[in-house]
Amino acid sequence: MIRRRILITGASAGLGAEMARQFAARGRDLALCARRIENLRALREELLTAHPGIRVSVRALDVDDHAAVERVFGEFRDEFDGLDRVVVNAGLGRGAPLGTGRAQANIATATTNFVSALAQAESALEIFRDQRAGHLVLISSMSAVRGLPGKKAAYSAAKAGLSALGEGLATELRADPIAVTTVQPGFIATEMSARAEDARLIVPLDRGVAAMVAAIEAEPVRACVPQWPWRALNLVLPRLPRAVMSRLG
């Protein structure tokens, strides 16, 4: 089955924009949303110039406005006469050690990366249940595998919640014509990873997203990407001593 009509949130930069480029190269129609509408408009022109046979629609959306999520998803559904895949990608990477006076950064990260992702899943699945078809993709993180310390604590906790949500939905919908995939990327070069000041095991954006898109197209329940070394680390991380994990903060 080809999922031709794809909605991607957080598509103005980073993983979302590169996923849009790679899905466009596969001839898919795209519904793109993010807060930075000017970035989206520039991306739309780029994609239509490179691939004139596809449709690309853009809308401004702050995913923390949950009523707006429902409205924008519905507008895209109506415009495209249905949606085949929704990629819940919008996220934040802010954070600070808990109790150091920067609670709002951690609360914002937890809200966007879990609560607002939940709101997006609600809206997507309402559309898919009505259609009796669709593919929900949750972009989590390898940070979900093990609670991380310091400034990454809230981020990893939120992503762990998102991965658990994906697992629960995949179990619930296992006999339905609705697929659920949770993608757990490792370190991929983006604005967010640059701000995190963590260059270990990082891969270029195009190569990292190519692995993500290949995994999304295969529609597994969960995928760690790129496969090397992240599939191995998926097994190793839960077993590492806390003294080793403390260095990852």
Side-chain angles (χ1 to χ4, degrees):
M1 178 186 299
I2 296 176
R3 309 282 188 182
R4 193 165 299 281
R5 300 162 296 181
I6 302 174
L7 188 160
I8 303 173
T9 67
S12 61
L15 301 180
E18 184 61 23
M19 278 191 282
R21 292 185 182 98
Q22 296 199 21
F23 279 122
R26 293 172 180 241
R28 310 304 169 81
D29 295 327
L30 297 169
L32 307 178
C33 49
R35 289 179 298 172
R36 295 180 285 184
I37 188 64
E38 291 307 318
N39 288 26
L40 289 176
R41 287 170 179 155
L43 178 60
R44 179 179 183 273
E45 292 306 310
E46 173 193 333
L47 297 178
L48 291 176
T49 298
H51 311 286
I54 68 171
R55 289 189 294 168
V56 181
S57 180
V58 300
R59 280 178 171 77
L61 176 64
D62 180 349
V63 296
D64 290 340
D65 182 345
H66 302 154
V69 169
E70 183 177 12
R71 173 179 55 77
V72 169
F73 279 31
E75 289 172 355
F76 278 136
R77 174 204 57 209
D78 294 344
E79 180 179 352
F80 284 82
D81 194 26
L83 295 170
D84 300 313
R85 174 179 288 146
V86 172
V87 182
V88 176
N89 169 72
L92 283 181
R94 301 173 190 161
L98 272 68
T100 61
R102 293 189 58 204
Q104 287 307 311
N106 292 322
I107 292 168
T109 290
T111 299
T112 299
N113 291 353
F114 180 70
V115 178
S116 296
L118 175 63
Q120 293 166 72
E122 287 273 11
S123 294
L125 286 173
E126 186 173 353
I127 291 169
F128 293 161
R129 289 181 192 275
D130 184 61
Q131 295 176 167
R132 296 289 299 160
H135 183 205
L136 176 65
V137 180
L138 305 177
I139 304 300
S140 181
S141 168
M142 284 301 298
S143 300
V145 175
R146 176 85 180 266
L148 297 178
K151 65 182 181 180
K152 298 179 181 176
Y155 180 84
S156 67
K159 290 298 189 178
L162 185 59
S163 290
L165 176 66
E167 181 67 29
L169 290 172
T171 300
E172 175 189 345
L173 299 169
R174 67 193 183 281
D176 284 36
I178 300 172
V180 179
T181 295
T182 301
V183 180
Q184 296 186 161
F187 301 143
I188 298 173
T190 63
E191 293 176 11
M192 186 183 296
S193 64
R195 287 194 297 269
E197 299 176 350
D198 196 341
R200 290 167 290 184
L201 301 177
I202 202 160
V203 299
L205 180 62
D206 58 346
R207 184 155 62 90
V209 171
M212 292 175 63
V213 168
I216 291 169
E217 292 281 80
E219 302 190 8
V221 170
R222 184 173 297 193
C224 301
V225 295
Q227 287 196 17
W228 176 256
W230 298 105
R231 284 185 68 180
L233 287 173
N234 185 51
L235 301 175
V236 171
L237 282 173
R239 295 168 173 80
L240 288 178
R242 287 191 174 87
V244 176
M245 292 299 299
S246 69
R247 299 183 206 141
L248 300 180

